[in-house]
Amino acid sequence: MPITAETSTAIAYAHREIETAQRLLENITEAIRNHEAPDIRDAFGRLQGELQLGIPSGSGAHRLYNLPWSVCKPVLEMHIAQQRAIVDALSEKALAEMRESLTT
């Protein structure tokens, strides 16, 4: 097998994080530019005025409520950059795995 399932899955998850964060960032950036509240809705279709940040369940749950959009923008930008770095590193790993499979 040229690339391990673990590597390909990790790459896919990182790409999903990038795509999700970029969509959210675009919504927030456009709304801020237009001096509007972003049209971000929860799973029940209710409009959300801010975001939440946290670990949502269990006895160790921690959650911050009402994070303003202005705080969310740099956090999303940082998250996108971090996930892109992960994709880059995993791509190098995938190439190494492919090279190794060719030599064995």
Side-chain angles (χ1 to χ4, degrees), residues 54-63 65:
I55 302 168
S57 60
S59 62
H62 302 285
R63 186 172 292 187
Y65 296 93

Side-chain angles (χ1 to χ4, degrees), residues 42-63:
D42 65 14
F44 302 103
R46 296 176 299 212
L47 190 62
Q48 298 298 300
E50 293 91 10
L51 291 182
Q52 297 178 19
L53 178 65
I55 302 168
S57 60
S59 62
H62 302 285
R63 186 172 292 187

Side-chain angles (χ1 to χ4, degrees), residues 22-39:
Q22 282 180 323
R23 278 194 307 272
L24 186 54
L25 180 61
E26 288 168 8
N27 289 342
I28 291 169
T29 301
E30 182 67 24
I32 290 171
R33 185 180 304 122
N34 294 329
H35 305 287
E36 301 170 345
D39 187 5

